[in-house]
Amino acid sequence: MPDPDKIPIFVLTGFLGSGKTTLLNRFLADGVKTAVVINEFGEIPVDQDLLANQNLPLTVLSGGCLCCKVKGALAPTLKNLWMTWEQAASKPFARMIIEASGIASPEPILDTLLRERWLPGRYHLQNVITTLAIPSAAAQLDSFAEARAQVAWADTLLLTHADVSNADQQAALATRLQVLAPATPRLTAEDFHALSLLTKAGPSLRRLPPAGPLPVHNFRSISLHLEQILPWQHLQTLLQQLLNRHPQDLLRIKGVVYLAEQTEPMVIQAAGTRLYPPTPLTARTSDDGRSRLVFIVNGEPTAFATDLNKAFVPLLSGNAIKLH
């Protein structure tokens, strides 16, 4: 059983576009005070803007994938948050959720939580939850070591996007998971309750990640800032054309945009070649009217960056596109 004197930590992992932030928003809707640590790949963080609840202790680790940054940044972050918690008369949070980068193996997170001597006396690693988007997960598991590591270290597998998947995709993923994680419990996003995942305890004894270096990845990120407010149909056409032209190397689009038809900021997300409908965010004092999009590319980014510039060049000011 979890130690009531320790702060429970939940780690959310899952490859790009598998629904981690959507799951995080579902967790945060239960009203329990929560501290959140979000890791992002690239220099321009946007994931924190995708959270419905902005009134919480929030830390963003950006500038690289978590496998590169966690050793130097995660442990001090957790120590500072605990000291704030310890000194407060009214505790600012009752649990912590770490949302890992979609292209990161969870091994360095677990290594920090389990090996760092100071942390296990104050925090309890309760559940490692990995999301998998059914339509694309089998191909991602075949192609990326990071996706396989996310499954291998999970306490719970949450299968998402069932409503846009078919029987062949479901069968292919089931076959892969039977090999990679046959004993790990599986749930679908449609039939689980957030409370069940947040009260479920992981194993009392955990294996430690290996101490060796992780595989070198070929991911790059490109950020785009737009001063102009566009109609959704125009922006949709530009983004879908980029997805169609780069089905193998463009892995993910995410960001917050301002559209001519809407008064509030809108969340834009795409994974694979699928561009999802924009969803509204609650207006907030930090809104500045500037759209921010991040594109995550696998491999040499020059061809995609050239096409991105051609697509948006009539709309751009100086330094609007940056390669990270």
Side-chain angles (χ1 to χ4, degrees), residues 156-160 185-189 191-193 196-197 200:
T156 305
L157 300 173
L158 184 64
L159 310 187
T160 65
R186 303 174 205 170
L187 301 171
T188 62
D191 62 13
F192 92 99
H193 297 286
S196 66
L197 285 182
K200 177 182 177 181

Side-chain angles (χ1 to χ4, degrees), residues 16-29:
L16 299 168
S18 61
K20 293 185 301 302
T21 302
T22 299
L23 177 61
L24 177 55
N25 275 322
R26 289 181 68 174
F27 287 161
L28 297 178

Side-chain angles (χ1 to χ4, degrees), residues 35-74:
V36 176
V37 177
I38 295 178
N39 175 244
E40 285 201 69
F41 179 70
E43 300 289 343
I44 307 297
V46 297
D47 275 5
Q48 76 278 9
D49 293 327
L50 309 186
L51 295 184
N53 180 5
Q54 295 287 306
N55 298 316
L56 46 80
L58 174 65
T59 302
V60 178
L61 306 178
S62 60
C65 59
L66 195 53
C67 60
C68 306
K69 297 291 184 180
V70 68
K71 295 292 186 183
L74 182 59

Side-chain angles (χ1 to χ4, degrees), residues 220-224 238 241-243 245-246 249-250 295 297 299-314 316 320-323:
R220 301 291 298 272
S221 74
I222 300 172
S223 63
L224 169 67
L238 294 176
Q241 288 174 347
L242 289 168
L243 290 165
R245 284 179 60 84
H246 298 272
D249 52 335
L250 178 54
F295 305 82
V297 178
E300 170 55 49
T302 303
F304 172 76
T306 300
D307 283 349
L308 178 65
N309 186 68
K310 288 179 180 177
F312 284 92
V313 67
L316 301 182
I321 297 177
K322 294 184 179 180
L323 177 64

Side-chain angles (χ1 to χ4, degrees), residues 8-318:
I9 289 185
F10 301 84
V11 177
L12 304 186
T13 74
F15 206 71
L16 299 168
S18 61
K20 293 185 301 302
T21 302
T22 299
L23 177 61
L24 177 55
N25 275 322
R26 289 181 68 174
F27 287 161
L28 297 178
D30 66 6
V32 177
K33 292 182 179 179
T34 306
V36 176
V37 177
I38 295 178
N39 175 244
E40 285 201 69
F41 179 70
E43 300 289 343
I44 307 297
V46 297
D47 275 5
Q48 76 278 9
D49 293 327
L50 309 186
L51 295 184
N53 180 5
Q54 295 287 306
N55 298 316
L56 46 80
L58 174 65
T59 302
V60 178
L61 306 178
S62 60
C65 59
L66 195 53
C67 60
C68 306
K69 297 291 184 180
V70 68
K71 295 292 186 183
L74 182 59
T77 294
L78 296 180
K79 290 179 180 179
N80 290 337
L81 285 168
W82 185 87
M83 290 178 182
T84 299
W85 179 90
E86 174 69 10
Q87 295 168 7
S90 177
K91 300 306 182 187
F93 55 91
R95 68 187 180 200
M96 177 172 294
I97 299 177
I98 300 174
E99 181 189 357
S101 166
I103 54 173
S105 166
E107 291 181 12
I109 303 175
L110 303 180
D111 185 80
T112 298
L113 294 176
L114 298 174
R115 291 186 197 269
E116 185 80 19
R117 292 186 177 183
W118 191 89
L119 296 177
R122 282 104 177 152
Y123 291 100
H124 168 74
L125 175 57
Q126 185 154 332
N127 203 346
V128 180
I129 304 164
T130 296
T131 54
L132 298 108
I134 297 173
S136 55
Q140 291 166 348
L141 292 170
D142 288 340
S143 301
F144 299 105
E146 293 82 2
R148 295 190 292 273
Q150 291 163 2
V151 168
W153 291 98
D155 299 325
T156 305
L157 300 173
L158 184 64
L159 310 187
T160 65
H161 299 176
D163 58 326
V164 293
S165 68
N166 57 44
D168 289 341
Q169 292 166 339
Q170 294 167 15
L173 179 56
T175 299
R176 292 294 280 122
L177 294 180
Q178 193 58 33
V179 174
L180 293 173
T184 306
R186 303 174 205 170
L187 301 171
T188 62
E190 289 71 22
D191 62 13
F192 92 99
H193 297 286
L195 181 62
S196 66
L197 285 182
L198 292 173
T199 55
K200 177 182 177 181
S204 56
L205 296 176
R206 292 183 177 272
R207 58 195 172 108
L208 293 174
L214 293 169
V216 177
H217 63 72
N218 295 310
F219 303 114
R220 301 291 298 272
S221 74
I222 300 172
S223 63
L224 169 67
H225 285 79
L226 282 177
E227 304 285 350
Q228 294 191 36
I229 296 177
L230 302 178
W232 167 237
Q233 185 175 5
H234 187 184
L235 182 59
Q236 179 186 32
T237 298
L238 294 176
L239 295 178
Q240 191 62 61
Q241 288 174 347
L242 289 168
L243 290 165
N244 293 340
R245 284 179 60 84
H246 298 272
Q248 302 301 321
D249 52 335
L250 178 54
L251 301 178
R252 184 83 162 105
I253 303 173
K254 60 182 178 179
V256 176
V257 301
Y258 296 84
L259 301 176
E261 306 90 338
Q262 304 290 336
T263 57
E264 64 271 271
M266 305 294 288
V267 175
I268 297 293
Q269 304 209 51
T273 58
R274 182 178 177 83
L275 178 63
Y276 294 93
T279 57
L281 284 172
T282 303
R284 56 200 70 177
T285 56
S286 60
D287 293 341
D288 58 6
R290 300 180 69 210
S291 296
R292 298 178 298 282
L293 290 169
V294 173
F295 305 82
I296 298 180
V297 178
N298 181 39
E300 170 55 49
T302 303
F304 172 76
T306 300
D307 283 349
L308 178 65
N309 186 68
K310 288 179 180 177
F312 284 92
V313 67
L315 309 168
L316 301 182
S317 57

